[in-house]
Amino acid sequence: SREERATTTMSAQFIQRIVNYVANEVLIKGLANSKTFQRFALRTDHHVQQYKKKGQEHVNEALDDLHKNATETMYRSQGEARASGYAAGGSSGGAGSRAAVPPTPPLRGFGGFISAVGKEIRKDLGLGR
């Protein structure tokens, strides 16, 4: 009946808690007092820290290289665009002697999002620049 199932469930939960408590006490205290386990834990922690450091350095180097290459490519493409524009007679007045300047950052927030979407739609439709 319903009461028997409730009693069985409660006694099963109680026995499970006792077994978990005893197992945790034996395992935790046994491992905490084991010199072999302590050495293993220290060596493992040392290796994990080394790998994390190497991984972070590798990621930082990769990001630096990516930034450097992207910046160089951007300046190179800007220079080529200016040179092709000047060669076609698109501009005069010594503007080609100016150093390339980084582009202005896009607008932030919702307004920036709407502006970017509008620019993409205009590019897709062949409108504007």
Side-chain angles (χ1 to χ4, degrees), residues 70-93:
T71 304
E72 288 174 356
T73 302
M74 179 194 64
Y75 285 136
R76 191 176 323 118
S77 65
Q78 283 180 348
E80 290 170 359
R82 284 192 182 123
S84 66
Y86 296 137
S91 176
S92 62

Side-chain angles (χ1 to χ4, degrees), residues 34-102:
S34 168
K35 296 292 181 192
T36 304
F37 180 76
Q38 290 173 1
R39 283 192 303 268
F40 168 76
L42 284 174
R43 272 186 274 152
T44 302
D45 181 63
H46 177 70
H47 289 298
V48 167
Q49 294 303 324
Q50 280 183 328
Y51 290 132
K52 280 176 58 178
K53 184 178 178 184
K54 286 180 184 177
Q56 181 137 10
E57 289 172 358
H58 180 70
V59 167
N60 286 340
E61 289 173 7
L63 287 174
D64 288 344
D65 289 344
L66 178 65
H67 180 262
K68 178 183 170 190
N69 290 337
T71 304
E72 288 174 356
T73 302
M74 179 194 64
Y75 285 136
R76 191 176 323 118
S77 65
Q78 283 180 348
E80 290 170 359
R82 284 192 182 123
S84 66
Y86 296 137
S91 176
S92 62
S97 63
R98 274 192 245 147
V101 294

